Amino acid sequence: MPGRKLDEVFMRLAIREARKGLGKTLPNPAVGAVLVRNDQLISKGWHRAAGSAHAEIEALRKAPKPAGCTLYVTLEPCSTHGRTPPCTQAIIEAGISRVVYGATDPNPSHAGRAKKILQKAGIEVSSGVLAEECSAINAAWNKWIATGLPFVTAKVGMSLDGRIASFPGRRWITSEAARADAMKLRARCDAILVGAETVRVDNPSLTIRGIAKATQPWRVIWSRSGILPLNSTILTDEFRERTLVFTGKTLKSILRDLAKRGVHHVLIEGGGRTHGEAFKKGLVDRIVFYVAPVLLGGDVASIGGIGEMNISLANPSYKKIGPDLRIEAEVLPVS
């Protein structure tokens, strides 16, 4: 198998490892690594949590004799001392002969630095292998590093006619299967944001259910008045210390505040006014809409505002979840 193709095979294994860390590594990126000798897999590693061993270090520790191996890693190895020592030094000391990494560190002060350090130590370095796929793993972290704002996903569960308020007696619009699928979104984000009216009307818990060992994201309420029912679930349950209420602030200022707390990925779950404002201000990066095969009518639209925006989407994907349709797409910048 040609060298480049073989590199892609092993990088895909590293990508698989990296995805194990999604939603668990805040404020660090999710990274995967594999060690290879003579085209044979020797060990694997992934970054499990901030302060724990980086993916490269875990792979090195699992290898009986790492010297002479090729290391594949989804993100350029760290070259500075943070919570842990730089991976570049560990790679050099382990006697690795070649390093192949996918995405370059988006931090301008770090980008390409590892390559220079490793090459100076006599290690062969190849970069950019499956770079787009590797970078996509950490889309939220990349934006946080580059802009000081979190990545924003707008999630909506709605009827076929775009309504999010059901008739009395019907608690859910989408199916149980769709709601279970949406829990995976919550498990991969750092904060869930809703408007105060959603809290008043629906009294949501905004917790993660059915996923073992998931970290509860921050629960963020955007309110004009700050007046909320004191018995609201998110103000009284076991995760009440993970609830933040912002009063009289713009959505962008709230997102910037969350970013300063280390939040990389915000999931906006409603309601219509909150979604409408987020889209109007160009704050949304991705949509995940669950569309149920029902018609509800009424005035409560999934995206508030009439004729106020013209949002274009890119790279849409569609998947049937139970009886519902999940639509995902990237949101193009507002011109």
Side-chain angles (χ1 to χ4, degrees), residues 199-200 203-204 228-237:
V199 176
R200 298 186 192 106
N203 190 26
L228 298 165
L230 296 181
N231 62 346
S232 298
T233 299
I234 60 176
L235 299 178
T236 57
D237 68 6

Side-chain angles (χ1 to χ4, degrees), residues 31-47:
V31 182
V34 297
L35 269 179
V36 174
R37 178 186 287 114
N38 297 327
D39 299 341
Q40 297 296 315
L41 180 66
I42 301 300
S43 64
K44 302 181 291 185
W46 58 283
H47 184 44

Side-chain angles (χ1 to χ4, degrees), residues 184-203:
K184 299 174 185 177
L185 287 177
R186 288 185 177 180
R188 292 185 176 185
C189 74
D190 309 315
I192 304 166
L193 187 150
V194 297
E197 190 63 13
T198 296
V199 176
R200 298 186 192 106
V201 174
D202 296 336
N203 190 26

Side-chain angles (χ1 to χ4, degrees), residues 39 65 92 100 106 111 125 138 169 184 223 240 270 284:
D39 299 341
K65 295 180 180 180
I92 293 168
V100 181
V125 180
N138 293 301
K184 299 174 185 177
S223 174
R240 56 188 176 277
V284 180

Side-chain angles (χ1 to χ4, degrees), residues 30-333:
V31 182
V34 297
L35 269 179
V36 174
R37 178 186 287 114
N38 297 327
D39 299 341
Q40 297 296 315
L41 180 66
I42 301 300
S43 64
K44 302 181 291 185
W46 58 283
H47 184 44
R48 297 168 186 271
S52 68
H54 287 189
E56 303 94 313
I57 305 305
E58 184 172 280
L60 288 171
R61 288 175 179 171
K62 290 180 179 177
K65 295 180 180 180
C69 286
T70 295
L71 172 68
Y72 292 85
V73 59
T74 55
L75 180 66
E76 177 181 354
C78 67
S79 55
T80 56
H81 200 298
R83 288 183 174 86
T84 58
C87 290
T88 48
Q89 189 59 38
I91 291 168
I92 293 168
E93 292 175 356
I96 298 301
S97 61
R98 181 175 180 239
V99 172
V100 181
Y101 66 83
T104 298
D105 193 320
N107 189 329
S109 61
H110 296 167
R113 191 168 183 266
K115 191 171 190 176
K116 294 177 182 177
I117 292 172
L118 296 172
Q119 287 178 330
K120 187 175 180 180
I123 297 173
E124 181 186 348
V125 180
S126 298
S127 61
V129 175
L130 298 182
E132 188 172 336
E133 292 179 45
C134 290
S135 182
I137 296 169
N138 293 301
W141 183 74
N142 295 339
K143 183 184 177 184
W144 180 73
I145 289 289
T147 69
L149 287 170
F151 188 91
V152 175
T153 296
K155 174 256 176 179
V156 180
M158 63 183 180
S159 64
L160 191 59
D161 55 341
R163 297 300 185 262
I164 57 173
S166 188
F167 52 81
R170 176 174 180 147
R171 178 69 177 88
W172 304 107
I173 295 175
T174 56
S175 66
E176 184 176 344
R179 297 196 300 274
D181 187 77
M183 283 296 155
K184 299 174 185 177
L185 287 177
R186 288 185 177 180
R188 292 185 176 185
C189 74
D190 309 315
I192 304 166
L193 187 150
V194 297
E197 190 63 13
T198 296
V199 176
R200 298 186 192 106
V201 174
D202 296 336
N203 190 26
S205 64
L206 304 181
T207 54
I208 298 174
R209 300 178 293 279
I211 299 177
K213 298 181 180 179
T215 300
Q216 173 60 42
W218 287 102
R219 300 178 298 185
V220 182
I221 307 168
W222 179 37
S223 174
R224 288 176 177 174
S225 65
I227 299 173
L228 298 165
L230 296 181
N231 62 346
S232 298
T233 299
I234 60 176
L235 299 178
T236 57
D237 68 6
E238 61 180 309
F239 299 114
R240 56 188 176 277
E241 299 300 323
R242 296 285 288 172
T243 299
L244 300 170
V245 180
F246 291 92
T247 304
K249 300 188 72 173
T250 65
L251 269 182
K252 188 168 185 177
S253 66
I254 292 173
L255 293 175
R256 200 170 293 282
D257 184 289
L258 293 174
K260 290 177 181 177
R261 297 171 185 261
V263 170
H264 299 166
H265 189 182
V266 175
L267 185 66
I268 297 182
E269 291 206 10
R273 173 180 170 267
T274 301
H275 276 128
E277 185 69 10
F279 279 106
K280 184 178 177 181
K281 298 300 183 182
L283 301 175
V284 180
D285 299 289
R286 183 177 66 136
I287 67 159
V288 181
F289 286 4
Y290 295 89
V291 183
V294 295
L295 300 172
L296 296 176
D299 299 326
V300 186
S302 58
I303 309 297
I306 300 175
E308 296 181 349
M309 62 190 79
N310 183 16
I311 306 298
S312 297
L313 305 175
N315 301 318
S317 64
Y318 310 89
K319 183 176 182 180
K320 194 170 183 292
I321 308 288
D324 305 321
L325 180 67
R326 186 185 71 198
I327 305 171
E328 294 188 54
E330 301 168 16
V331 178
L332 296 178

